[in-house]
Amino acid sequence: MSVTIKPVKDQSLSAETAFDLGDFLAVRAARVNDALDRFIPRAKTPPATLHRAMRYSLFAGGKRLRPALCLAAAQACGGDESEALPLACALECIHTYSLIHDDLPAMDNDDYRRGKLTNHKVFGEGIAILAGDALLTQAFEIAAQCKGWERYPQSTIILELARAAGSLQLVAGQVADLEAEGKGISTRQLRYIHERKTSALLRCSVRLGAMSANCNSAQLYSLSDFGYHVGLAFQVIDDILDVTQTSEKLGKTAGKDAQAQKATYPAIVGLKRSESIAQRLTQRAFAALKSFDGHAAALDALAHYLLERDR
Ligand code: FPP
Ligand code: MG
């Protein structure tokens, strides 16, 4: 996949830049998959059912976007991607845990994810809950393997991850998402949900990558802004795709949001306005990369890809 980044209004890169995002993603996904395979206990290690369940969802074909954002941020700040690799893996473990739990009957009750039966459909609810628990814990075990950096000691890294995944961010977003079902909520409340259930982990992904490069405070500020806006745009687009795409394309049951009376952008502001909101958020993300002066080509291409994605 070759993404040609064209200069559009308000976009950060002034010159047209060709960046092979397909190649970037394929190389990073392979590295992350290899590392995850080493970090996670073997499928035969007792309790084998648990380790099989963890591996089932972890290797079910996720796009590895959070790791890619983490590694791209490390690159943009002049870091060594291999130092960011454990953090990229930790992020994917947290993401996968959240999907396993999100799919449970007690939550969104989904039968398909990433084109496969959901974890609880294969292993039963008890094991799916425990596989999610174990992946969340595993994430911190993996992250603890980073050595820490001058400006960002190991404790800062662990705190960053814990805060993004905890009761004020990821879990808070999920609580608000569940509590908003079937209710008419304001766009302000909807943004609260999206900021927490999706944007927090994407923002954390770029922040951790930047920290692994011992970034300065200006770089951290810009990349936090980038991650926040990309994260919001990502969820608005996720909402749109649920309405516009087929189940085959998405690898999960399309139209579930409307069926479950979920609070989503298309439900609250309509499809057309949702699309322009996603565009605007992505432009804000591009603007945040301006100070990188062309050194953030991978992040720029990733933001384009997220805006244009169809699954
Ligand atoms: C799809 O990511 C996932 C989202 C858009 C995030 C949705 C948020 C939740 C499910 C929060 C759940 C939280 C808890 C605490 C249960 P993706 O398109 O990158 O998925 P992929 O990895 O399968 O490609
Ligand atoms: Mg959900």
Side-chain angles (χ1 to χ4, degrees):
M1 183 196 333
S2 185
V3 174
T4 302
I5 304 167
K6 293 193 185 76
V8 291
K9 211 162 50 143
D10 297 334
Q11 193 177 307
S12 60
L13 296 182
S14 51
E16 188 164 297
T17 314
F19 180 84
D20 193 342
L21 183 64
D23 184 61
F24 178 88
L25 286 175
V27 170
R28 273 61 189 185
R31 272 187 207 150
V32 167
N33 290 343
D34 274 1
L36 281 170
D37 190 41
R38 278 182 274 113
F39 282 130
I40 307 293
R42 307 241 67 85
K44 283 186 181 155
T45 303
T49 325
L50 179 71
H51 292 130
R52 274 203 296 122
M54 289 163 74
R55 284 175 166 271
Y56 174 80
S57 292
L58 209 45
F59 297 108
K63 296 186 285 296
R64 306 298 192 223
L65 290 176
R66 290 145 195 86
L69 284 167
C70 177
L71 299 174
Q75 192 189 71
C77 296
D80 175 352
E81 282 185 49
S82 62
E83 291 201 18
L85 194 57
L87 303 178
C89 291
L91 287 157
E92 190 66 14
C93 288
I94 293 180
H95 168 58
T96 302
Y97 124 76
S98 78
L99 298 184
I100 295 175
H101 282 193
D102 185 60
D103 291 334
L104 287 167
M107 299 218 199
D108 285 358
N109 194 17
D110 274 302
D111 291 352
Y112 291 95
R113 167 78 70 180
R114 296 169 165 173
K116 295 185 165 178
L117 283 171
T118 44
N119 201 288
H120 65 271
K121 282 277 160 192
V122 178
F123 297 95
E125 283 181 48
I127 293 294
I129 292 169
L130 294 167
D133 293 341
L135 281 169
L136 175 59
T137 313
Q138 185 84 51
F140 288 91
E141 189 177 326
I142 296 172
Q145 297 189 29
C146 77
K147 61 179 174 57
W149 296 271
E150 198 187 331
R151 295 192 181 100
Y152 310 100
Q154 206 190 44
S155 59
T156 302
I157 300 292
I158 301 294
L159 195 60
E160 179 77 23
L161 204 54
R163 285 200 171 135
S167 70
L168 297 177
Q169 294 295 328
L170 177 66
V171 182
Q174 183 73 351
V175 170
D177 176 282
L178 290 178
E179 289 180 349
E181 259 178 41
K183 292 190 192 132
I185 63 164
S186 66
T187 49
R188 201 154 155 255
Q189 288 166 312
L190 184 59
R191 184 173 271 233
Y192 171 98
I193 296 174
H194 284 30
E195 278 171 353
R196 283 157 185 79
K197 81 168 186 184
T198 306
S199 180
L201 198 59
L202 289 164
R203 179 176 174 272
C204 177
S205 303
V206 284
R207 278 173 64 86
L208 286 178
M211 287 177 177
S212 79
N214 200 35
C215 68
N216 63 36
S217 56
Q219 288 172 317
L220 189 61
Y221 180 87
S222 298
L223 288 184
S224 302
D225 192 35
F226 171 79
Y228 171 80
H229 287 101
V230 156
L232 279 181
F234 184 75
Q235 185 57 56
V236 176
I237 292 162
D238 211 70
D239 290 355
I240 293 171
L241 294 177
D242 187 74
V243 178
T244 57
Q245 293 294 339
T246 61
S247 302
E248 289 68 38
K249 190 86 185 175
L250 296 179
K252 61 183 182 181
T253 315
K256 278 288 302 255
D257 289 345
Q259 198 189 315
Q261 294 185 285
K262 282 279 182 195
T264 65
Y265 272 88
I268 291 175
V269 304
L271 206 48
K272 221 170 143 45
R273 249 194 91 200
S274 302
E275 278 160 1
S276 70
I277 289 171
Q279 284 276 357
R280 211 166 54 232
L281 289 165
T282 311
Q283 292 304 333
R284 292 284 301 272
F286 290 137
L289 295 180
K290 217 172 184 154
S291 58
F292 285 85
D293 214 15
H295 292 291
L299 288 174
D300 204 290
L302 269 163
H304 269 275
Y305 164 67
L306 295 182
L307 180 69
E308 285 150 21
R309 75 194 170 104
D310 59 4
R311 73 178 184 102

